[in-house]
Amino acid sequence: MASYLSDEKRSTSTLDEKLDAEKHAEVVQAVADFDDPNFDKDAVILEDDSPYPEVRSAVANTDDPDMPVSTFRAWTIGLVWSIIIPGMNQFFFFRYPSVTVSGIVAQLLSFPIGRLWARFMPNVKVFGVSINPGPFTVKEHVLITIMATVGYQSAYATDIIAVQRVYYNQVYNFGYQWMLVMSTQLIGFSIGGIARRFLVAPPSMIWPANLVTCALFNTLHSQHYSGMGTRGGISRERFFAYAFLGSLCWYFFPGYIFQALSFFNWVCWIAPDNIVVNQLFGYYSGLGMSLITFDWSQIAYIGSPLATPWWASANVAAGFVLFFWIITPILYYTNTWYAKYMPISSRTSFDNTGNEYNVTRILTPESTLDIEQYEKYSPLFLSTTFAMTYGLSFASITATIVHTALYFRKQIWVQARRSLSEQPDIHARLMSRYPQVPEWWYSIIFVTMFVFALICIELLHSQMPVWALVLGLIISFVYTVPIGMIQAITNQQIGLNVITELVIGYALPGRPIAMMMFKTWGYITMYQALQFTSDFKLAHYMKIPPRPMFFAQVIAAAIAGTVQLGVQAWMFTNIKGMCDPHQKDGFICPSTEVFGTASIIWGVIGPQRQFSHGQIYYGLLFFFLVGAAAPVLSYLAARRWPNSIMKYVNFPVIFSGVGYIPPASALNYVPWTIVAFVFNYFIRRRHFSWWTKYNYILSAGLDSGVAISAILIFFCLQYPDNGTIGANSIVGWWGNVISTKTADYNSTALLPVPADRGAFGPEHW
């Protein structure tokens, strides 16, 4: 573990810290009788460190308060990343297959960049600011990484803007878009800042996901490899370079030269017109039993399999096989929900003629539900996999609550009380020397973003009353701390998207724009609050002063959201056929399609016409009961047979792990599972030292290589000359069209619409 103190400072610091050992020992004695498996009762006896072994193994228990943090170098590199990574991810967000440039890419690449800066930039001052403050420090590195990742994912509100454009023909000015994105992103930051006393300072709030990041920081900035053993071989930096270059070059094949390698539905090539074969083995609209793909962007679409523990991957795979390879075919081929008249898997919704649901036919000029036109047109139908996904979403809500109550009730109860009274550990005491962020700073952000939200809903005819905005924020406020405690302990977060959709669907039926906004403020506010809180905990572990951290997060988040809006506006203006299901370059907007379909289900038509008693999908509500009962059965089985496989069964992961379907498909889950097994089970067990040294580096290299390659392909080969480059040669050759000449690609239904009625489904609704 890296140490950041000189010997003199270390001895002085240690002496001062040991003066508190007796007080800390009292805390250990006070909690010793509680069943907390993470707690190490002998921690104070051994050393003045965290009482949690996971934290001790990843986080240094020393600090150098004189180490440079908020330097010109850190801000320059961090701001550049806060432009590049969110912009790239927003570009890929509308593409399928997509790729997400994760924070680990910025974390790894910033290290050599910072060292090169320290070596070659002049040591001069401009307006009193040092251009090169000396060696590149770990604190600068952490600040850069946080700025790069605070807004790296596509802002949730950008989907509202895209759905308004694509589904409801509403295009508003950039000012509205900017205020909407800022309010949804930063209002959560204000909540997270206020909640930090409950979720950051207490040592029991360990935030397991941050420990991996801390370990990588300390490894990069130490002089020796801190993992298992002393494995030789090439350095991780060189390994990353090889993986990056290999990934960049290879992706030209599945991404441009031989695209059938991506959608490798090889069984469908044998019987392209056999509908059942295409439904079972297809990748476009099938269940993916063809098993393999040669495209890393498809494999990592739902997240890198190399970064997911095998036990979690196995639970996800079990859920996929059970619900999508066993139950889904049973439901489909028994014509449950009139399924045979639709594709077995699809991201869109259908009317009773088998066509895509035309929401404009049931809307008033004010974009609300026209009951008379709805009754004349059609009920809304979903493909079997889409309906199954909603059922699993219902199950995951109750399963997560029951699972947490069964397995973590003692820990949460103890730690919830200790969060308010427990003595600070070594990390909290080291951080106490830095000035805290005043509460009124967070209050200013909250008030400003609340005003932005009011402007968005009041001046632009959103059909959303102010009380709904307040209710959405209250839901987020109430859930932030308890769900944050669960996440900080168990690394599991309960999503509020389905709850908010149900609430607004019943409270304001027939208002799709209001539904989307309510869901965003009610769900993403909490999500962003916990994202910011997680970053606070990372800074807490790495001893980053709170005030520079505050400004870095706020400024980087604002820049990231602005860049994403600019990229999105450019794409809709310059890319032809944007969001068309067969857009030639893959910009089919899968997430926007799902978001738009949800706006129709929950916003326009409303849950009472979809899920209430007597409606088509009423049966899905029983998944709430299934989700509540399943963890009880696994818990009892694990208690009865404690050494059996049942102790690894995690029903929240089983139910929620397939939550990316749609827009993901079987293509993204089956190869993902295979790769996860090879690396995180087989290689990890047989070659652990290799896995420890290279596994995460390989994941970062593959991700970043595909991202750069996809950009090069688009801007060099697909976008110029209106996409005519290679149109009569490479674009149309067998390897690029064979996978599209199938019933799988055409999303063919098993049965034609009955000729006598010209429609399927109920006669009255």
Side-chain angles (χ1 to χ4, degrees):
M1 189 68 67
S3 177
Y4 313 124
L5 287 172
S6 65
D7 291 340
E8 180 179 350
K9 288 180 179 177
R10 182 184 293 109
S11 61
T12 303
S13 174
T14 304
L15 179 63
D16 293 337
E17 291 156 7
K18 285 184 177 177
L19 295 177
D20 293 328
E22 183 177 351
K23 183 188 293 184
H24 197 176
E26 294 174 0
V27 179
V28 175
Q29 182 63 39
V31 300
D33 296 332
F34 292 97
D35 181 18
D36 185 352
N38 291 326
F39 192 77
D40 186 351
K41 300 174 184 178
D42 299 324
V44 175
I45 297 175
L46 296 174
E47 57 181 328
D48 191 4
D49 207 334
S50 171
Y52 295 89
E54 296 89 349
V55 178
R56 292 200 306 273
S57 67
V59 183
N61 65 336
T62 55
D63 179 37
D64 181 359
D66 299 323
M67 181 181 292
V69 184
S70 184
T71 63
F72 177 80
R73 173 172 57 204
W75 276 90
T76 301
I77 300 174
L79 290 178
V80 170
W81 280 130
S82 70
I83 295 172
I84 293 176
I85 292 182
M88 290 175 64
N89 285 336
Q90 187 68 14
F91 180 81
F92 291 122
F93 179 71
F94 294 102
R95 187 177 183 271
Y96 185 83
S98 180
V99 62
T100 299
V101 183
S102 62
I104 195 172
V105 175
Q107 185 181 9
L108 289 170
L109 294 182
S110 296
F111 183 63
I113 292 173
R115 288 198 160 186
L116 289 172
W117 184 302
R119 182 173 181 178
F120 294 108
M121 291 296 288
N123 187 11
V124 298
K125 290 187 176 182
V126 177
F127 301 110
V129 178
S130 177
I131 301 298
N132 189 349
F136 184 56
T137 68
V138 66
K139 292 190 178 184
E140 288 180 290
H141 196 178
V142 174
L143 194 68
I144 290 169
T145 303
I146 289 174
M147 293 175 71
T149 57
V150 70
Y152 81 101
Q153 293 179 314
S154 176
Y156 203 71
T158 59
D159 251 338
I160 298 178
I161 298 164
V163 169
Q164 285 182 288
R165 178 191 291 263
V166 175
Y167 282 80
Y168 302 104
N169 299 316
Q170 297 177 353
V171 181
Y172 293 111
N173 59 43
F174 189 82
Y176 156 76
Q177 299 178 17
W178 188 80
M179 285 189 291
L180 180 64
V181 170
M182 291 300 108
S183 64
T184 55
Q185 293 292 96
L186 291 178
I187 204 167
F189 175 64
S190 63
I191 302 171
I194 295 171
R196 73 189 189 279
R197 69 183 62 182
F198 304 102
L199 302 177
V200 176
S204 52
M205 302 290 107
I206 64 174
W207 293 89
N210 281 331
L211 300 179
V212 177
T213 306
C214 291
L216 181 55
F217 277 125
N218 289 320
T219 298
L220 290 174
H221 288 267
S222 65
Q223 298 301 315
H224 63 280
Y225 173 56
S226 63
M228 172 72 77
T230 57
R231 178 161 187 108
I234 63 175
S235 68
R236 281 165 299 165
E237 291 81 0
R238 179 172 294 184
F239 185 87
F240 175 82
Y242 291 159
F244 171 79
L245 291 174
S247 176
L248 186 151
C249 296
W250 170 252
Y251 186 70
F252 273 85
F253 288 93
Y256 185 72
I257 299 171
F258 194 173
Q259 295 176 32
L261 294 174
S262 179
F263 290 87
F264 198 67
N265 52 352
W266 60 276
V267 179
C268 300
W269 306 351
I270 301 172
D273 299 319
N274 187 307
I275 296 175
V276 174
V277 169
N278 279 258
Q279 288 178 335
L280 295 178
F281 294 91
Y283 278 162
Y284 289 96
S285 61
L287 298 181
M289 295 183 183
S290 294
L291 297 183
I292 60 174
T293 179
F294 299 92
D295 183 352
W296 179 254
S297 68
Q298 296 282 23
I299 296 171
Y301 182 77
I302 60 174
S304 174
L306 303 183
T308 306
W310 168 241
W311 73 267
S313 302
N315 276 274
V316 172
F320 177 84
V321 170
L322 174 62
F323 292 106
F324 289 93
W325 277 6
I326 298 176
I327 296 180
T328 291
I330 293 174
L331 293 173
Y332 185 83
Y333 294 114
T334 56
N335 206 27
T336 306
W337 305 318
Y338 308 98
K340 290 183 179 181
Y341 300 105
M342 297 170 284
I344 194 171
S345 180
S346 173
R347 288 184 291 267
T348 191
S349 54
F350 299 90
D351 60 21
N352 56 12
T353 66
N355 294 313
E356 184 174 344
Y357 200 90
N358 186 357
V359 68
T360 59
R361 291 185 56 177
I362 62 173
L363 291 176
T364 66
E366 292 78 28
S367 295
T368 58
L369 177 65
D370 187 323
I371 298 293
E372 182 180 351
Q373 293 301 317
Y374 170 71
E375 293 176 347
K376 289 180 180 179
Y377 176 39
S378 169
L380 181 141
F381 296 91
L382 300 172
S383 68
T384 307
T385 58
F386 206 151
M388 180 61 66
T389 299
Y390 271 120
L392 294 175
S393 297
F394 298 155
S396 67
I397 295 173
T398 51
T400 303
I401 295 172
V402 173
H403 178 89
T404 303
L406 291 173
Y407 288 88
F408 302 104
R409 62 188 184 280
K410 292 183 179 179
Q411 295 94 303
I412 292 175
W413 173 246
V414 171
Q415 291 166 349
R417 292 188 298 165
R418 286 162 56 190
S419 293
L420 301 179
S421 60
E422 64 184 314
Q423 297 295 326
D425 65 353
I426 180 64
H427 304 292
R429 296 202 298 277
L430 290 174
M431 286 296 292
S432 65
R433 70 184 68 185
Y434 300 111
Q436 295 298 314
V437 176
E439 300 287 353
W440 64 268
W441 289 16
Y442 297 106
S443 301
I444 289 176
I445 292 180
F446 175 80
V447 171
T448 304
M449 297 305 116
F450 186 77
V451 171
F452 283 2
L454 289 177
I455 293 173
C456 290
I457 66 175
E458 287 295 308
L459 299 185
L460 293 160
H461 312 293
S462 67
Q463 302 291 329
M464 180 176 174
V466 174
W467 64 260
L469 170 64
V470 175
L471 177 61
L473 293 177
I474 289 175
I475 292 174
S476 288
F477 284 21
V478 169
Y479 275 98
T480 294
V481 171
I483 291 181
M485 287 183 174
I486 293 173
Q487 184 176 355
I489 299 166
T490 69
N491 208 28
Q492 300 176 28
Q493 184 185 115
I494 304 171
L496 299 180
N497 51 328
V498 175
I499 295 175
T500 53
E501 287 172 337
L502 280 171
V503 169
I504 197 64
Y506 280 106
L508 293 174
R511 302 185 186 185
I513 309 303
M515 189 284 295
M516 292 189 293
M517 289 185 167
F518 181 88
K519 179 173 71 169
T520 303
W521 276 304
Y523 166 43
I524 291 302
T525 298
M526 183 211 70
Y527 179 89
Q528 284 296 108
L530 296 183
Q531 175 64 44
F532 284 122
T533 303
S534 176
D535 287 343
F536 277 127
K537 190 66 177 186
L538 176 61
H540 182 85
Y541 281 146
M542 301 305 297
K543 316 304 180 294
I544 308 300
R547 295 189 176 185
M549 176 74 177
F550 171 87
F551 288 112
Q553 286 183 295
V554 172
I555 294 173
I559 291 175
T562 306
V563 169
Q564 288 172 344
L565 284 174
V567 171
Q568 179 168 320
W570 180 89
M571 294 178 73
F572 275 99
T573 303
N574 293 278
I575 297 179
K576 292 184 179 180
M578 187 73 177
C579 293
D580 185 277
H582 297 293
Q583 205 278 338
K584 61 185 181 65
D585 300 319
F587 292 101
I588 61 175
C589 309
S591 180
T592 302
E593 188 174 15
V594 174
F595 207 95
T597 301
S599 76
I600 300 171
I601 296 170
W602 303 97
V604 179
I605 298 175
Q608 69 272 30
R609 294 183 179 87
Q610 291 292 120
F611 303 105
S612 297
H613 183 70
Q615 302 300 323
I616 296 174
Y617 297 103
Y618 169 66
L620 291 176
L621 292 182
F622 289 96
F623 273 86
F624 282 111
L625 298 178
V626 173
V632 176
L633 298 178
S634 65
Y635 176 76
L636 294 176
R639 293 288 298 270
R640 177 64 179 82
W641 299 285
N643 296 320
S644 69
I645 195 174
M646 294 305 299
K647 65 182 179 180
Y648 298 107
V649 174
N650 188 306
F651 274 103
V653 175
I654 290 174
F655 292 137
S656 62
V658 291
Y660 289 100
I661 300 176
S665 68
L667 165 62
N668 309 116
Y669 275 90
V670 181
W672 179 87
T673 302
I674 295 172
V675 173
F677 173 80
V678 170
F679 280 88
N680 288 343
Y681 182 81
F682 181 78
I683 293 180
R684 189 179 189 275
R685 287 195 167 200
R686 298 293 184 88
H687 309 283
F688 183 72
S689 60
W690 185 97
W691 182 91
T692 306
K693 186 173 184 179
Y694 296 126
N695 183 69
Y696 295 107
I697 309 299
L698 176 61
S699 177
L702 294 174
D703 287 347
S704 52
V706 167
I708 300 301
S709 183
I711 290 178
L712 292 175
I713 290 171
F714 179 76
F715 285 104
C716 297
L717 299 173
Q718 294 174 334
Y719 182 70
D721 295 335
N722 294 319
T724 59
I725 297 177
N728 298 320
S729 55
I730 191 170
V731 173
W733 85 284
W734 176 86
N736 282 336
V737 299
I738 182 62
S739 63
T740 65
K741 294 181 177 180
T742 59
D744 171 37
Y745 178 79
N746 294 320
S747 301
T748 305
L750 184 62
L751 294 180
V753 176
D756 53 346
R757 284 182 54 200
F760 62 86
E763 296 185 4
H764 304 285
W765 54 89

